[in-house]
Amino acid sequence: MEKERMGAEALYHMYATTLYGVIVKIVINEEAVEDLLQETFVRIWNAIEQYDAEKGRLFTWMVTIARHLDNADACNQTVINTDSIGVSSLLNLLTPEQKIIFHLIYYKSYKHIEVAESLNISLGTVKTRWRLGNLALRAVYGTGSDDTRLKKLAA
């Protein structure tokens, strides 16, 4: 039991600061960041036997757990400061699933594959939600290149 406690403490001391940095990029509320960090380590420790070094680095596996933790809660606490440029009303037309994809792509500069990995969904699902979101926004905003138009709005 003492070995396990020491192992958990060592893991925490080695990676807590870096994982905190990952979570703080997603979540606004400082208390929520701390809570998610603690929950991340609990889940890491409970699933440590599932880690496979042949599939990837330990840190990458840990980041994946942190990013997947309560995506719905994280989505509700993410920073989307669109009010100042008038985009928030447009983004509110999207479903919550579409909104988080748009947030990750335009505001966090994720690639589609990174969004899929971060949300633990298939690349096809990301692309479908992305396309349907673009169609919904185009219906309100007008025709033309939705990528160019949205990038201008996000700038």
Side-chain angles (χ1 to χ4, degrees):
M1 195 66 168
E2 182 65 22
K3 277 182 152 179
E4 288 180 2
R5 186 184 63 76
M6 290 176 56
E9 287 178 6
L11 198 63
Y12 184 86
H13 289 295
M14 288 171 50
Y15 294 104
T17 302
T18 310
L19 283 176
Y20 181 92
V22 169
I23 296 168
V24 81
K25 289 180 181 177
I26 301 170
V27 179
I28 293 174
N29 184 321
E30 184 75 23
E31 291 173 9
V33 174
E34 292 290 338
D35 290 343
L36 287 174
L37 180 65
Q38 295 304 318
E39 180 64 22
T40 297
F41 274 99
V42 168
R43 290 194 183 183
I44 287 168
W45 192 250
N46 289 335
I48 196 72
E49 291 178 1
Q50 296 173 11
Y51 168 66
D52 184 354
E54 291 181 14
K55 291 184 178 179
R57 295 181 13 223
L58 176 62
F59 179 70
T60 305
W61 180 75
M62 292 170 67
V63 167
T64 301
I65 290 174
R67 284 185 173 166
H68 292 150
L69 242 183
D70 296 330
N71 277 318
D73 290 342
C75 179
N76 291 333
Q77 299 175 35
T78 51
V79 178
I80 304 178
N81 187 14
T82 55
D83 290 333
S84 63
I85 58 174
V87 178
S88 63
S89 60
L90 289 176
L91 292 181
N92 286 332
L93 298 172
L94 302 176
T95 66
E97 294 84 8
Q98 293 167 338
K99 190 182 287 189
I100 194 166
I101 288 171
F102 274 69
H103 174 74
L104 292 172
I105 291 172
Y106 278 106
Y107 297 97
K108 298 290 186 178
S109 301
Y110 279 35
K111 294 182 170 98
H112 289 117
I113 190 71
E114 292 172 321
V115 172
E117 290 170 357
S118 174
L119 299 177
N120 198 26
I121 59 178
S122 73
L123 181 59
T125 300
V126 170
K127 289 182 177 185
T128 298
R129 290 176 183 171
W130 173 252
R131 180 73 180 137
L132 292 173
N134 272 313
L135 290 173
L137 293 176
R138 188 184 307 160
V140 172
Y141 190 66
T143 61
S145 170
D146 27 291
D147 281 344
T148 303
R149 190 168 286 125
L150 285 174
K151 284 182 181 177
K152 287 179 182 176
L153 287 172

